[in-house]
Amino acid sequence: MKRLGSLLGMLTVAALVGGVLTSTPASARATTETVHVANVTESAPDANPCSGATGMLTQTYSGVFHSTVLPNGTSWFTGTLHGSFSFVPDDATQPSYAGKFTTWFGDENNLRNEVEHETFRVKLLGSDGSVLMAHETSHFGTSASGLTFSFDKIRFSCP
């Protein structure tokens, strides 16, 4: 969950810097922007979802964000990130993990509907030879009538 919060925080910064959240006059044309990021590193305390061991989670990633905003307020924002992921436990008797991750996310809004979705996959090799894998797929949508639909499926493959 902290990983998702970290990504959402980063998305907010990218949206603000990229101009996604700016208003446009009614006579304006669509604005489209692409932002590339490279070798961004984030670290935060976290816990191993399989053992509960506390430690430091570090991710270094590169990726691309695309945004399009129409004068009527319809907007699309999507991004893909890939990079390395590591977990070093506070207790040296617990295994550390390192590997790769990929995530894709999108947000689409118009005057009646909205939808947000994400996929995330990580495969980590443990210092003890074990393998930890995780996959998440989430979706949230709101229709013109206000009906919402959402799910968040998370699978862990623990050693």
Side-chain angles (χ1 to χ4, degrees), residues 115-127:
V115 63
E116 288 83 29
H117 32 251
E118 176 212 15
T119 62
F120 174 81
R121 186 176 192 292
V122 63
K123 181 177 181 181
L124 305 172
L125 302 176
S127 58

Side-chain angles (χ1 to χ4, degrees), residues 6-123:
S6 174
L7 285 174
L8 291 176
M10 187 261 319
L11 289 176
T12 301
V13 170
L16 291 171
V17 170
V20 173
L21 301 179
T22 60
S23 62
T24 57
S27 63
R29 296 178 184 227
T31 57
T32 300
E33 188 161 3
T34 300
V35 176
H36 295 268
V37 296
N39 298 316
V40 177
T41 298
E42 296 177 340
S43 294
D46 211 332
N48 179 323
C50 297
S51 69
T54 60
M56 185 61 65
L57 177 74
T58 301
Q59 53 188 6
T60 299
Y61 56 87
S62 296
V64 62
F65 303 97
H66 300 284
S67 67
T68 299
V69 180
L70 302 180
N72 69 359
T74 299
S75 64
W76 296 269
F77 182 68
T78 186
T80 303
L81 300 174
H82 60 89
S84 63
F85 207 84
S86 66
F87 178 77
V88 177
D90 297 330
D91 178 353
T93 65
Q94 296 289 317
S96 59
Y97 289 89
K100 301 286 183 184
F101 81 96
T102 301
T103 188
W104 172 86
F105 42 87
D107 174 74
E108 293 81 29
N109 298 282
N110 62 38
L111 299 178
R112 298 187 192 173
N113 308 289
E114 66 177 310
V115 63
E116 288 83 29
H117 32 251
E118 176 212 15
T119 62
F120 174 81
R121 186 176 192 292
V122 63
K123 181 177 181 181

Side-chain angles (χ1 to χ4, degrees), residues 112-114 116 139-151:
R112 298 187 192 173
N113 308 289
E114 66 177 310
E116 288 83 29
H139 175 86
F140 175 83
T142 302
S143 70
S145 67
L147 179 67
T148 62
F149 173 76
S150 66
F151 64 84

